[in-house]
Amino acid sequence: MNARTGTTRTGTVLRVPPISPELHAATGERYDALDLPGDPGDPGVADDPARAAFLAEHGGDVVAIVCSNLSPVPASLIEALPRLGVIANHGVGYDNVDVDVALARGIAVSHTPDVLDDAVAETALALLLAARRRIVTADLFVRDGAWSKGAFPLTDQVSGSRVGILGLGRIGRAVARRLEAFGCAISYHNRRPVPGVDYAYAASPAELAAGVDNLIVIVPGGPGTEGLVDAAVLDALGPRGLLVNVARGSVVDEDALVAALQEGRLGGAALDVFAREPEVPAALLVRDDVVLAPHVGSATHETRAAMRRLTLDNLDDWLATGTLRTPIPEMSASPGEGGER
Ligand code: NAP
Ligand code: 8YV
């Protein structure tokens, strides 16, 4: 029994950077926690000698990993941890984790669904409104003293517009509920229609894009959705269309996006996520038809506290009983099977 947490499974909790200072502090207070050395943004981090030495010394003690969406948890790391039983991801998306390798070894994986839906939906709406009503440009217009020389150009209204949601899941539905209040005509594309939903279903991302003014992307990342929003989808959205991406950078072909904007084939973009965060293509930084945010979809005090609580609840439950509150859906009917080895 671990006296500090009241748990029955003992061992080290490995923090894979980057994780927030608050989650870092909370795990430090609660568990025997260590930090994996090495810069997660360094492509050669797996060969970092400091990391190799750390894993040789501590790898055999690690029973749990805590990570965030920017913390890579590849097969090589999982394989270096023979007693690993659980991976607790601070985030609903878990494309940072090699889930196939983890599940094949019986390692349990948790994430943080539901608690962030409101914050991320709010971010999607904020980006949509900011881009359509040109709020960032209007702010600069006032600050630069341009107002005294003439009126700000007219913009496009969101109310009553046609909005497509690519990924009508938990967050997509929270976005749709908000758009209903704006009187928007809502349509969506998932791999299959959602039973009991009245919004118009489009059979493909391109068909969805062709019928809307604004396309909001909120599908999971990973190989299944890589480049789902390609040049054909952007062309279908068209020169007056707006792309809002709050999903993952990998879902949108970033080169095709830059080309479509530069060639006037797409009206604009509002982006919270990028292919190689925190790197943002220079070609986007100079455009005023683009609104950029640094992956802040869930970044409110309230939501991050709830995500942190759920991450710790998952860790506590697994350490005490071998079960999880919120296992990822790929886990079998008997979640939390992953055991101490
Ligand atoms: P969710 O409830 O699982 O919803 C995902 C939706 O995407 C489902 O409706 C799913 O429907 C659809 N989908 C999956 N694969 C698809 C494909 N290949 N083509 C078309 N539709 C597909 O997930 P969620 O909780 O709403 O979260 C969605 C994602 O948002 C997360 O995985 C994460 O990547 C991202 N996110 C970003 C932020 C941020 O800070 N920007 C914050 C939170 C989450 P079908 O299975 O029927 O296709
Ligand atoms: C991040 C997110 O997880 O939940 C997700 O999938 O992308 C975000 O909420 C957040 O940046 C903290 O890790």
Side-chain angles (χ1 to χ4, degrees):
M1 173 77 76
N2 180 325
R4 280 199 290 167
T5 60
T7 57
T8 51
R9 290 163 200 241
T10 53
T12 298
V13 172
L14 181 65
R15 293 176 291 222
V16 181
I19 61 173
S20 69
E22 293 84 1
L23 186 58
H24 191 275
T27 46
E29 283 160 18
R30 216 164 168 72
Y31 313 112
D32 294 318
L34 290 175
D35 298 301
L36 184 68
D39 172 4
D42 171 6
V45 69
D47 304 319
D48 183 329
R51 177 171 286 194
F54 172 92
L55 289 172
E57 185 179 352
H58 300 288
D61 302 328
V62 172
V63 295
I65 276 180
V66 62
C67 57
S68 77
N69 73 295
L70 282 176
S71 322
V73 182
S76 58
L77 177 58
I78 294 169
E79 281 155 9
L81 307 172
R83 291 176 62 215
L84 183 66
V86 68
I87 300 171
N89 192 53
H90 179 264
V92 66
Y94 45 90
D95 47 314
N96 53 308
V97 177
D98 192 327
V99 165
D100 291 345
V101 168
L103 297 188
R105 251 198 45 201
I107 295 166
V109 183
S110 68
H111 65 150
T112 60
D114 303 315
V115 294
L116 42 60
D117 296 352
D118 288 342
V120 184
E122 214 168 82
T123 304
L125 265 287
L127 286 171
L128 171 63
L129 290 164
R132 275 300 181 196
R133 302 303 307 274
R134 306 196 66 199
I135 298 298
V136 178
T137 315
D139 177 277
L140 291 173
F141 183 85
V142 174
R143 289 172 199 263
D144 290 349
W147 195 6
S148 57
K149 298 180 198 110
F152 191 71
L154 300 182
T155 60
D156 296 312
Q157 196 153 300
V158 169
S159 298
S161 68
R162 300 168 303 163
V163 183
I165 300 177
L166 181 52
L168 193 73
R170 289 173 291 251
I171 299 170
R173 291 177 80 147
V175 171
R177 284 196 295 276
R178 285 158 176 78
L179 291 170
E180 283 182 27
F182 281 78
C184 293
I186 300 165
S187 51
Y188 74 101
H189 170 72
N190 283 4
R191 286 167 295 184
R192 57 197 75 81
V194 182
V197 159
D198 289 337
Y199 310 132
Y201 179 72
S204 70
E207 185 183 309
L208 179 68
V212 299
D213 307 299
N214 305 299
L215 179 65
I216 300 180
V217 184
I218 187 64
V219 289
T225 55
E226 192 167 349
L228 191 64
V229 177
D230 58 10
V233 174
L234 298 172
D235 283 341
L237 194 51
R240 294 190 58 79
L242 173 76
L243 174 76
V244 179
N245 187 10
V246 286
R248 284 289 183 265
S250 59
V251 180
V252 175
D253 179 336
E254 221 166 57
D255 293 337
L257 172 64
V258 168
L261 289 165
Q262 287 176 334
E263 292 159 21
R265 288 183 285 108
L266 180 68
L271 309 169
D272 185 46
V273 287
F274 303 88
R276 284 166 291 279
E277 295 174 12
E279 211 179 292
V280 176
L284 293 178
L285 298 176
V286 296
R287 302 194 65 85
D288 69 359
D289 52 3
V290 167
V291 175
L292 305 168
H295 200 146
V296 290
S298 67
T300 66
H301 296 294
E302 298 85 349
T303 290
R304 285 295 168 80
M307 290 168 67
R308 191 162 60 247
R309 183 68 262 152
L310 188 51
T311 304
L312 295 172
D313 284 346
N314 273 300
L315 275 173
D316 283 352
D317 281 6
W318 185 85
L319 288 165
T321 65
T323 62
L324 291 175
R325 297 254 171 132
T326 48
I328 61 168
E330 289 89 338
M331 285 186 62
S332 63
S334 50
E337 275 177 345
E340 201 174 1
R341 284 144 193 273

